[in-house]
Amino acid sequence: MTGTRTFWWVFLKRDRWFYLWFGLGTALLYVSQGWSVDRLYTTQAEFDRAAAGMEGNAAFVAMTGPARALNTTGGQVTWQSTAFGAIVVGLMVMFIVGRHTRAEEETGRDELLRAAPVGRYATSTAALLDAMLASVVVGALVSASLVAYGLVVADSVALGVGLAACGWFFAGTTLLAAQLTASTRATYGLGGAALGLAYAVRAIGDVSAPALSWLSPIGWYQAMHAFSGLRWWPVLLLVAGAALVAAAAFAVFDRRDFASGVLATRPGPPVAGRGLRSGLGLAWTLQRPAFSAWALGLFVFGLAFGVMGDDVGDLVGDSDLGKEMMLQGGGDVVDAFYATMIAMLALVACGFAISSALRPHGEEEAGRVEPLLATGLPRSRWLLGHVAITVVGTAVVLLLCGLGLGTSYALVTGDGAAVWRMTAGMATYLPAVLVLSGLARFLHGVVPRASRAAWLWLLLASVVLLFGEVLRLPEWLQDLSPFEHLPFVPAESFTWAPFLALSALAAALSVAGQVAFRRRDVH
């Protein structure tokens, strides 16, 4: 264990932004639910009516968890936040553990460190402690935000403690995944699969087989019954589970070779397939897993939101604030509600568009671009392959999301035309999403170090959509969001002028970024 303290301190310095952004973001996720429901439902009768509608919707239960005390602010916070909070903290610790274990081993830096007088378990232990501390910080910020908002102290603390324990469990599963796999990407894939399995088992259990929920760490967290009869003993299951998976990870670590994983890596073919002989084929091979995950995820998201059907009035409430936040399109309440949902799902799709546009930057940072360009592959053709995947992939992701939304809505209401209406509504936002990906590509070409600042524009667009009218943000600030210039379909009629203008802006940003990339040095 020699050197563990030193490694831990170094890891803490590297991860300080994880602590800040994940902590503040997760705390905002929880406390914003209390803020929103207190302003959406102005009377207890209205609150009771909305709660009854939510409790009877199996899709809601599958998405968020068992419905308990939904006619109270604390019950709504717990119901709407815990499942997603567990996923967020799980992703955080997955990235922390993965970057300090398998990523360091894969790049060869860990081998250099092991040549020094350090303990065999030093880096793994330090990475695990780092992730555990990050989980505690996030849990503490969640509890503090809820207490500051005015909710019951004991239940607020329980939500934070349970969230931290979830982080410990998923930190252990990621450390185990790092021993089983031979690459960082595979570690993240296996760790993400564990998160997805925990969520899916919990969802199935909460809807049809309650016993299954006890097989999921997310189910253990929700079994604490915060704000609906608090009980502390389920957190012991999370702590015990975290200890078991961490112990298993160290046991496997002792039995594998350095720079390898227990799961054998499948050897590639002796000759590259025809698809890998072009920049487009290579880009598709690299981005196919991420595209598949985003496409499937947003299709499922669309299915989940569509099952609300026409029964949305009770969910919106009668307050003026609720109508301002959710019914910005005006007109018919159902169309306006789904117009807002479509815009929000389009914002989620920006996650794929921006990450796909930044994939060339990641390849460049990893040092894999320069050897490729030393062959007969021109840099413009290499980049165009990634551009094509981003543009086509974004269009497909949006259309699948709209198809899922319209299909489930049509099944619930019998309105077959909704399939086309919802799909067309999602397609309306294609140029706005591509503007954000074009900005990422432009920054990658001009200022590579600042390319990730494209995520800040997505943050701005999200704030403007959700709170622009409520917070009375200046018009010039709202106009910076490309989503503000498009009609709220289906609540409003489609118009070509903003669609074509934003398409031209997206193309201009992309072309400028590609030209800049061709003229600068590859790092």
Side-chain angles (χ1 to χ4, degrees), residues 341-356:
M341 290 298 102
I342 287 172
M344 293 174 66
L345 288 170
L347 281 173
V348 176
C350 289
F352 166 75
I354 295 175
S355 61
S356 177

Side-chain angles (χ1 to χ4, degrees), residues 280-300:
L280 178 61
L282 176 61
W284 169 243
T285 301
L286 292 174
Q287 299 211 35
R288 181 173 54 199
F291 164 76
S292 301
W294 278 97
L296 177 61
L298 278 171
F299 179 72
V300 173

Side-chain angles (χ1 to χ4, degrees), residues 30-31 34 38 72-75 77-78 143 145-157 159 227:
Y30 278 72
V31 77
D38 281 344
T72 66
T73 301
V77 169
T78 303
S143 295
S145 66
L146 295 177
V147 171
Y149 184 71
L151 297 182
V152 178
V153 174
D155 298 81
S156 300
V157 171
L159 284 181
F227 298 101

Side-chain angles (χ1 to χ4, degrees), residues 20 37 52 73 92 120 163 206 250 254 256 261 266 270 303 313 356 379 414 437 457 459 471 488 515:
L20 176 62
V37 298
T73 301
M92 178 189 71
R120 176 176 174 81
L163 186 64
D206 289 342
F250 283 106
D254 280 332
R256 70 170 178 87
R266 186 179 63 181
L303 287 173
S356 177
R379 66 165 63 191
S437 71
W457 203 357
L459 176 63
L471 300 179
F488 258 44
V515 171

Side-chain angles (χ1 to χ4, degrees), residues 348-398:
V348 176
C350 289
F352 166 75
I354 295 175
S355 61
S356 177
L358 291 178
R359 183 58 189 265
H361 177 66
E363 293 293 302
E364 187 176 353
E365 279 191 326
R368 292 188 285 265
V369 176
E370 196 168 7
L372 276 174
L373 300 183
T375 66
L377 179 63
R379 66 165 63 191
S380 57
R381 192 176 302 170
W382 170 79
L383 184 59
L384 278 174
H386 285 281
V387 173
I389 297 301
T390 299
V391 174
V392 176
T394 299
V396 172
V397 165
L398 285 171

Side-chain angles (χ1 to χ4, degrees), residues 8 44 69 84-85 160 166 196 204 253 447:
W8 190 19
Q44 188 59 46
F84 300 117
C166 279
I204 296 172
F253 176 75
V447 193

Side-chain angles (χ1 to χ4, degrees), residues 40-115:
L40 280 174
Y41 309 118
T42 53
T43 66
Q44 188 59 46
E46 186 182 353
F47 211 162
D48 293 339
R49 187 170 66 251
M54 296 173 188
E55 291 171 357
N57 192 310
F60 280 1
V61 173
M63 280 194 300
T64 56
R68 304 188 186 100
L70 297 190
N71 60 346
T72 66
T73 301
Q76 285 282 349
V77 169
T78 303
W79 187 59
Q80 296 186 35
S81 305
T82 48
F84 300 117
I87 294 295
V88 169
V89 78
L91 290 172
M92 178 189 71
V93 298
M94 183 180 75
F95 292 133
I96 288 176
V97 173
R99 77 184 298 200
H100 295 313
T101 55
R102 176 51 63 184
E104 293 295 305
E105 196 169 331
E106 187 178 11
T107 58
R109 290 190 290 264
D110 196 46
E111 188 172 13
L112 295 175
L113 293 173
R114 289 175 184 274

Side-chain angles (χ1 to χ4, degrees), residues 199-386:
Y199 184 87
V201 169
R202 192 267 329 144
I204 296 172
D206 289 342
V207 171
S208 59
L212 284 179
S213 298
W214 290 101
L215 300 179
S216 168
I218 301 177
W220 302 341
Y221 177 29
Q222 294 180 329
M224 294 178 69
H225 290 193
F227 298 101
S228 58
L230 177 62
R231 53 188 187 182
W232 287 93
W233 62 264
V235 78
L236 299 178
L237 296 176
L238 287 165
V239 175
L244 285 174
V245 291
F250 283 106
V252 174
F253 176 75
D254 280 332
R255 289 165 174 77
R256 70 170 178 87
D257 294 331
F258 182 81
S260 66
V262 172
L263 301 177
T265 303
R266 186 179 63 181
V271 178
R274 297 187 62 180
L276 287 175
R277 299 177 187 178
S278 66
L280 178 61
L282 176 61
W284 169 243
T285 301
L286 292 174
Q287 299 211 35
R288 181 173 54 199
F291 164 76
S292 301
W294 278 97
L296 177 61
L298 278 171
F299 179 72
V300 173
F301 262 43
L303 287 173
F305 282 111
V307 297
M308 289 185 286
D310 295 333
D311 189 22
V312 298
D314 291 342
L315 303 182
V316 175
D318 297 328
S319 68
D320 292 337
L321 179 63
K323 293 175 181 177
E324 279 190 88
M325 291 177 62
M326 301 300 296
L327 307 179
Q328 298 178 43
D332 178 76
V333 64
V334 175
D335 284 345
F337 180 85
Y338 279 104
T340 303
M341 290 298 102
I342 287 172
M344 293 174 66
L345 288 170
L347 281 173
V348 176
C350 289
F352 166 75
I354 295 175
S355 61
S356 177
L358 291 178
R359 183 58 189 265
H361 177 66
E363 293 293 302
E364 187 176 353
E365 279 191 326
R368 292 188 285 265
V369 176
E370 196 168 7
L372 276 174
L373 300 183
T375 66
L377 179 63
R379 66 165 63 191
S380 57
R381 192 176 302 170
W382 170 79
L383 184 59
L384 278 174
H386 285 281

